[in-house]
Amino acid sequence: MKKYNSMKNIAVIGAGTMGNGIAHTFAQSGFNVNLIDISEASLEKGMATIAKNLDRMIAKEKISEADKAETLANITTLTSIRNGVKGVDLVVEAATENIDLKLNIFKQLDEACNNDTILATNTSSISITQIAAVTSRPDKVIGMHFMNPVPIMKLVEIIRGYNTTDAVTNTIMILSKTLGKVPVEANDYPGFVANRILMPMINESIETLYNGVAGVQEIDTVMMLGMAHPMGPLQLADFIGLDVCLSILNVMHDGFKNPKYAPCPLLVNMVRAGKLGIKSGEGFYDYSENRKAENVAKQFLK
């Protein structure tokens, strides 16, 4: 297995919000990045997002035009996993939070990658041990749970599976620091640390709304002004995606068999109705007409 300081070639699976953010972060730190997605349209959109985020950094005088050009030049887009992972030192999977999809991807990665390639997943709740079990290298499978927006947020949860070795864990911890991140090690239990604490809070906020205790803006205002949260929990749920929140809660409810993790019926119905938050144009706030919440979300990204 290569040492962190000899790692130069990275593959990122998935060009969505998390995937393009992870690719951006590695590329800006000087790594050669293969950004892989089955959809050309998703790759184009992902690269456009990276370019837009780099332009924001230029406007804030954090980087130069030359830095932007170098970062973009460090990224190659591909639609084939097999071609995209040849010779890479690390793969970071950032596909949709769906267990069957992730297991299928890791089976492909295990077959296509070199024996010493580390396989990481950006899952926010799914068992690292379960993912690792479909590979022939469970000792080299680990969780790298980046926070959104990836180029800005400092935290990376490093989750070791049951068989993940100390050497792999230490390598990824140190590698994360080279990206300017603060890695925090956690063990493999549903939701890990961040979402095990965050999602019940969001769910309880939705229950508070569902029970008629207070309105959306009132709940968010209490948490922002009373608890010094930068964004209210309902607005944060919109930002994360209500479907993602529901998926994480279902994983924890299934994993712990504890009713306190059961998703609120209001959340379930909103997801069924396609009200997923910012990405669908409507969640707890209406982003198609009322731009106030969206503007606050944009301020959070500054």
Side-chain angles (χ1 to χ4, degrees), residues 139-194:
D139 56 317
K140 297 183 181 70
V141 178
I142 195 165
M144 289 186 79
H145 181 208
F146 290 86
M147 304 293 125
N148 186 28
V150 180
I152 295 173
M153 298 292 278
K154 293 290 187 182
L155 175 66
V156 184
E157 275 188 305
I158 307 299
I159 307 101
R160 58 189 303 164
Y162 186 83
N163 292 300
T164 309
T165 64
D166 290 341
V168 167
T169 302
N170 293 336
T171 294
I172 297 303
M173 290 285 285
I174 298 171
L175 180 67
S176 299
K177 292 177 183 178
T178 70
L179 301 175
K181 303 301 184 184
V182 178
V184 176
E185 185 178 339
N187 289 318
D188 188 20
Y189 293 94
F192 316 132
V193 175

Side-chain angles (χ1 to χ4, degrees), residues 275 296 301:
K275 296 183 179 182
V296 173
L301 297 176

Side-chain angles (χ1 to χ4, degrees), residues 68-124:
K68 174 187 174 181
E70 184 178 350
T71 297
L72 292 175
N74 285 339
I75 303 174
T76 302
T77 59
L78 303 100
T79 56
S80 166
I81 286 181
R82 183 166 295 276
N83 292 336
V85 300
K86 285 181 179 178
V88 302
D89 306 305
L90 168 69
V91 180
V92 183
E93 171 273 318
T96 304
E97 193 76 347
N98 176 289
I99 181 60
D100 292 331
L101 175 63
K102 289 185 185 294
L103 295 182
N104 181 50
I105 288 173
F106 270 79
K107 288 177 184 177
Q108 294 181 60
L109 293 175
D110 189 45
E111 293 175 0
C113 291
N114 294 340
N115 292 334
D116 61 351
T117 300
I118 296 174
L119 306 182
T121 173
N122 183 59
T123 181
S124 54

